[in-house]
Structure formats: structure tokens, C-alpha cells
């Protein structure tokens, strides 16, 4: 979006409306990452991976962000899930 604070506001509303939506939680994690809220982003990427089921492309995208956060064990688990 190019506007990290606004993205965070919108993504937070999305999660408020759909707390177990992989799309909403991943969006929130990405907005948190853009706002340098690393701990919150890491937690929400973990949650997004859980809610994503076996959506391979989504899981690959989540794992990529987990690597950027240096959450290597989580990225590994997410990649394993993506390949099942």
C-alpha cells in the first residue's frame, strides 16, 4: 500500500471481523512487519500458517516472511506443511 500505518489499521479491522481468517491474519502480520512490529508479526505469521490449511502458495509466502524475521524454525515448519 505504501502507507504502513493505514495498512495496519485496516488489517486490524479485518482480523477483528474474521479472527481466524488466514487472509486477514496474514495481512495483519504483513502490516506489522512493515511497521517494524517484529514480535507481533512473527506471532501472526505463525497464526496465519495455522489458519491457511494446506494452501501451498500462501504458506510459501508466509514462510518467506518468517525467514525475513529470522524465524527459521517456524519457516521450516511452514514449508514442510506447504509441501504436504
Amino acid at each position: 500500500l505504501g502507507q504502513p500505518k493505514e495498512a495496519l489499521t485496516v488489517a486490524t479491522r479485518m482480523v477483528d471481523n474474521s479472527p481466524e481468517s488466514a487472509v486477514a491474519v496474514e495481512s495483519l502480520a504483513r502490516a506489522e512487519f512493515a511497521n517494524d512490529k517484529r514480535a507481533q508479526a512473527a506471532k501472526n505469521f505463525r497464526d496465519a500458517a495455522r489458519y491457511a490449511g494446506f494452501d501451498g502458495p500462501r504458506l510459501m509466502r508466509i514462510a518467506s516472511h518468517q525467514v525475513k524475521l529470522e524465524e527459521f524454525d517456524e519457516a521450516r515448519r511452514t514449508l514442510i506443511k506447504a509441501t504436504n
Side-chain angles (χ1 to χ4, degrees):
L1 289 173
Q3 300 174 359
K5 289 190 189 281
E6 290 81 3
L8 187 57
T9 300
V10 171
T12 299
R13 277 192 226 131
M14 289 172 59
V15 172
D16 288 345
N17 290 331
S18 301
E20 294 186 4
S21 162
V23 172
V25 176
E26 181 189 357
S27 295
L28 178 58
R30 291 173 66 150
E32 290 166 337
F33 181 79
N35 281 279
D36 202 31
K37 296 177 180 257
R38 298 175 68 83
Q40 298 97 316
K43 180 224 177 274
N44 281 313
F45 279 123
R46 278 192 302 276
D47 290 346
R50 188 173 73 242
Y51 301 142
F54 293 94
D55 180 343
R58 180 170 308 283
L59 291 166
M60 296 293 283
R61 193 170 48 247
I62 291 168
S64 173
H65 277 88
Q66 289 171 320
V67 168
K68 291 175 188 174
L69 288 167
E70 298 182 5
E71 294 280 330
F72 301 117
D73 289 337
E74 290 299 326
R76 182 178 143 301
R77 279 189 273 280
T78 301
L79 290 170
I80 289 169
K81 184 177 177 183
T83 61
N84 285 329

